């Protein structure tokens, strides 16, 4: 699709999701790095309980908590 046509559709409020390739989408400054952390079993149990209560994965819970802690520390 030409850029001008894309812009026209965007400006008109048309649905452009069919025109986008979300598999190539990247967030700026959000390069992923893998980190392995060993926790005592009671910590993992607590994380699982909280994650289940919120309806998210343990990994998502840890990511959010760490990001919030770092944001508040700045």
């Amino acid at each position: 699709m030409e850029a001008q046509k894309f812009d026209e559709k965007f400006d008109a409020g048309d649905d452009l999701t069919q025109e986008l390739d979300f598999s190539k989408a990247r967030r700026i400054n959000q390069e992923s790095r893998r980190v392995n952390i060993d926790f005592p079993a009671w910590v993992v149990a607590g994380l699982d309980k909280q994650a289940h209560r919120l309806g998210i994965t343990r990994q998502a819970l840890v990511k959010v908590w760490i990001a919030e802690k770092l944001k508040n520390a700045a």
Side-chain angles (χ1 to χ4, degrees):
M1 173 182 284
E2 294 177 37
Q4 184 177 357
K5 288 182 181 178
F6 185 90
D7 288 344
E8 289 171 1
K9 285 186 165 189
F10 179 82
D11 292 340
D14 294 345
D15 182 8
L16 296 170
T17 55
Q18 296 298 317
E19 309 298 332
L20 304 174
D21 183 358
F22 291 105
S23 69
K24 295 181 181 180
R26 299 288 181 260
R27 291 185 178 186
I28 297 173
N29 296 323
Q30 295 291 323
E31 180 182 340
S32 293
R33 304 279 178 150
R34 181 163 302 276
V35 177
N36 294 316
I37 304 173
D38 294 323
F39 288 115
W42 67 268
V43 172
V44 175
L47 289 169
D48 288 344
K49 182 178 178 181
Q50 185 71 359
H52 179 73
R53 186 182 73 76
L54 296 171
I56 60 175
T57 64
R58 178 192 313 146
Q59 182 176 351
L61 179 69
V62 171
K63 285 180 180 181
V64 169
W65 281 358
I66 291 173
E68 286 176 355
K69 187 72 170 178
L70 291 172
K71 184 178 178 182
N72 292 334

